[in-house]
Each structure stands twice: as C-alpha cells, then as structure tokens.
Amino acid sequence: MKIVFMGTPEFAVPCLRTLVEIGRKPSVVFTQPDKPKGRGYKLIPTPVKAAAEEYGIPVYQPLSLRKGEDAEESLKILNDIAPDLIVVTAYGQILPKEILELPKYGCINIHASLLPAYRGAAPINWCILNGEKVTGVTSMLMDVGLDTGDMLIKKSTEIGENETYTELYGRLSEMGGEVLAETISALENGSLPREKQDDSLSSYSPMIQKEMSRLDFTKSAAEIHNIIRGVTGFTSLGGKRLKVFKSKISDYIAPEAKDGEIIKSADFSVKCGDGRAVTFTEVQLEGSKRMKTEDFLRGKKLENGTVLGE
C-alpha cells in the first residue's frame, strides 16, 4: 500500500513512527514550512520533518495546498505517486477536494477527540477547559467539512483530575499511533467500521487565544483550575507577571476573603469566586525560572491577605 503522510507538530510524530514500524513507510511526507525561532531567527524544522529525515523519507513543505504554484506542484507530486491512502494528523492545512478524492482509500485523519465532540483546531485544550472527564482519539475518513467525515475507530481515556494539556497531549499522541495501526489493519483486512457523525451532538474547539490564560478570580475554583490545566494561567504578584503551570483544588473554604486573595501562604492557596481555593503547585514569577511551588516558596515569602492581580 502506497501511503502519503501529512502532519506537522510533535503530536503527529507517533503516527509517522507507527507507519514505519508496521512496514507502511510513507512515500513522501508533507509538513508545514520551517519557522524562524529564537534570537537569531534560525529556521527550525517541524517535528514531523525531523522524524521523516531520520527515516530517510522525502519531505515536501508547500505554503498552501489550495492556491498558487505550491498547490499545483503538490497535486502533481501526489498524482505521480498515486497513493492508495493519505494519512493526516495535525497537518495545519485544509485539503482541497482534488486531493481528498485522489487516493484509492481516501484520506484518513487522526483527531484528538471523541468525535463528533470537539471538532476543530484545539480539542485537547477545550476538553480540559470544559472540565471533561473522558476524551480520546478518533480516526475519520475525511470530507470537505471540518472534521465532519465518517468515524472509523475510536479509543477513549480518562482525564486525570490535575492532568495538564501537555500531559494529555503526550498521552493522546501515542494513542493516535495505536488508533492508526488498528485503522490500517482493519482497512487492509476489509473489517474497517464506518459510522456517520451525528451533527446534533457536535461541538467546536476554536484556536486558543492568549487572553484566555488570564486568571479571573471571580470565577469558581474549578474554572480557574481548568484554565491553568488547559492553557497555563497568568496573573500578577507584587507587580510582576506570574505564570501558573499546575494547580489543584484545595479543601480550604474562605467565603469572607477577597477573590484572588492568598489565604494560605504556606502552600500558595488562593481564594476563588465560589469561596473555594486553588493551590498553585508549579509557577514562574517574571525574572525567575519555572519551578515547583515548594521550591518557589523557599526563596519567596508570601503574605496571607495579598491579592493577586492588583
């Protein structure tokens, strides 16, 4: 079976690795163009490009698959290869109809949610922001809609109470490789299930915006905790920006305290809008490095009654 793989971030690497390990090494890999990074603006290859080069797979990085010379060249490359299947995982570009209809078995997408829930660009963030307890990975036969194609194979997993986006991202990326292997095996032996999505059960996960990370302590402790887990929270302490990477919901209740007030300086517990508290467990104060709160508190004395964000 001739396969073309399309993917870009670290999330897609286990899927590419899986294809190689099951003896279905792609003929070519499509990924997004290299981007400048750091002070010197050095071009950095995408994680998928780096992995493809390790496996000796040719890499193509068109600016667009839908318009311009790159789109024309992409279509020509794909027609010359005549793939039986295109596998897409977090590629970051919309495939035109001409490409979707080109492979014998179509284009299969590995999506990080239990479709039809959380279609769109940021399903992992949004399932945490919304306090979901379970999520997973779905393989899907792509169509012209946004994550609307027929579902093939699903695999689910529980979300830990304090699990962060980064932690869940890593687990789901590995699960994506497992789902892809099952999908290709079922495709080849003729047992691949196919189920239409119920649009009435669908939800959308738009791109994450920076301002979503700001901690508004008038919200409940659960909401604050989910923002920290889902997108990393930020507030200010003593006039300096404070990033909060991890937290847990505290047993403390302090309805008389101000929203955002430190009510237990010994472990950095902060009162939220519902009277409950969130305990910060991993933080970074402007000018310092990221560290566990217990280490942070060794060098920074906090005072009960201090209000964050003021």
Side-chain angles (χ1 to χ4, degrees):
M1 179 184 288
K2 287 187 290 184
I3 295 176
V4 167
F5 183 78
M6 297 182 176
T8 298
E10 195 66 44
F11 183 87
V13 172
C15 283
L16 176 57
R17 183 175 66 237
T18 293
L19 290 174
V20 175
E21 290 175 351
I22 66 174
R24 302 295 181 269
K25 185 175 177 179
S27 302
V28 68
V29 162
F30 280 63
T31 189
Q32 293 278 56
D34 297 349
K35 290 187 176 180
K37 193 173 183 180
R39 292 182 180 178
Y41 292 98
K42 180 181 178 182
L43 288 176
I44 303 297
T46 71
V48 163
K49 179 181 179 179
E53 289 177 340
E54 286 182 20
Y55 292 125
I57 304 171
V59 176
Y60 186 52
Q61 297 176 275
L63 287 171
S64 174
L65 295 180
R66 299 175 66 85
K67 59 183 179 181
E69 293 181 2
D70 275 7
E72 295 175 7
E73 186 177 355
S74 298
L75 191 57
K76 182 180 184 305
I77 289 171
L78 291 170
N79 275 309
D80 289 344
I81 294 171
D84 297 301
L85 176 68
I86 294 177
V87 175
V88 182
T89 309
Y91 177 40
Q93 291 201 42
I94 297 174
L95 274 59
K97 186 178 180 182
E98 296 86 350
I99 292 179
L100 291 172
E101 295 178 347
L102 193 153
K104 176 181 177 181
Y105 297 111
C107 299
I108 288 177
N109 177 245
I110 303 298
H111 186 75
S113 80
L114 297 175
L115 290 171
Y118 297 106
R119 296 170 177 171
I124 303 175
N125 302 92
W126 280 102
C127 74
I128 292 178
L129 286 168
N130 290 338
E132 300 287 359
K133 305 300 183 186
V134 176
T135 187
V137 172
T138 306
S139 61
M140 170 193 69
L141 189 62
M142 297 174 70
D143 61 16
V144 293
L146 180 64
D147 300 326
T148 56
D150 290 356
M151 300 177 293
L152 304 173
I153 288 177
K154 287 185 180 181
K155 193 164 189 159
S156 63
T157 183
E158 292 186 359
I159 303 171
E161 180 182 354
N162 299 320
E163 190 168 19
T164 65
Y165 161 79
T166 302
E167 293 163 344
L168 185 57
Y169 181 101
R171 291 204 299 116
L172 292 182
S173 68
E174 294 297 329
M175 186 179 290
E178 297 168 7
V179 169
L180 177 58
E182 290 182 31
T183 301
I184 289 184
S185 176
L187 176 65
E188 292 181 331
N189 65 32
S191 63
L192 186 63
R194 186 167 170 176
E195 178 185 357
K196 287 194 174 297
Q197 294 191 42
D198 184 344
D199 290 342
S200 69
L201 300 177
S202 70
S203 56
Y204 180 60
S205 56
M207 293 283 288
I208 296 299
Q209 306 297 324
K210 285 185 178 180
E211 59 268 20
M212 293 170 60
S213 294
R214 186 178 68 84
L215 297 179
D216 175 1
F217 291 102
T218 65
K219 294 182 177 179
S220 69
E223 289 174 292
I224 294 293
H225 180 51
N226 291 341
I227 289 170
I228 292 167
R229 295 166 58 223
V231 293
T232 301
F234 79 86
T235 182
S236 62
L237 172 64
K240 291 186 175 182
R241 184 182 177 94
L242 179 74
K243 285 186 179 180
V244 188
F245 295 94
K246 292 185 179 182
S247 62
K248 61 183 180 181
I249 296 178
S250 171
D251 292 331
Y252 305 133
I253 299 175
E256 73 288 345
K258 292 182 181 179
D259 296 338
E261 181 178 332
I262 298 174
I263 60 171
K264 189 177 180 186
S265 59
D267 65 1
F268 213 157
S269 292
V270 181
K271 187 260 185 180
C272 302
D274 59 351
R276 301 194 66 187
V278 166
T279 300
F280 299 161
T281 59
E282 194 167 319
V283 298
Q284 181 179 16
L285 188 62
E286 184 180 343
S288 301
K289 63 180 182 179
R290 175 176 173 174
M291 63 185 79
K292 291 182 179 179
T293 294
E294 58 194 52
D295 297 323
F296 172 78
L297 292 175
R298 289 193 184 100
K300 177 71 175 178
K301 182 174 174 59
L302 298 179
E303 298 286 347
N304 284 343
T306 299
V307 179
L308 301 181
E310 288 189 342

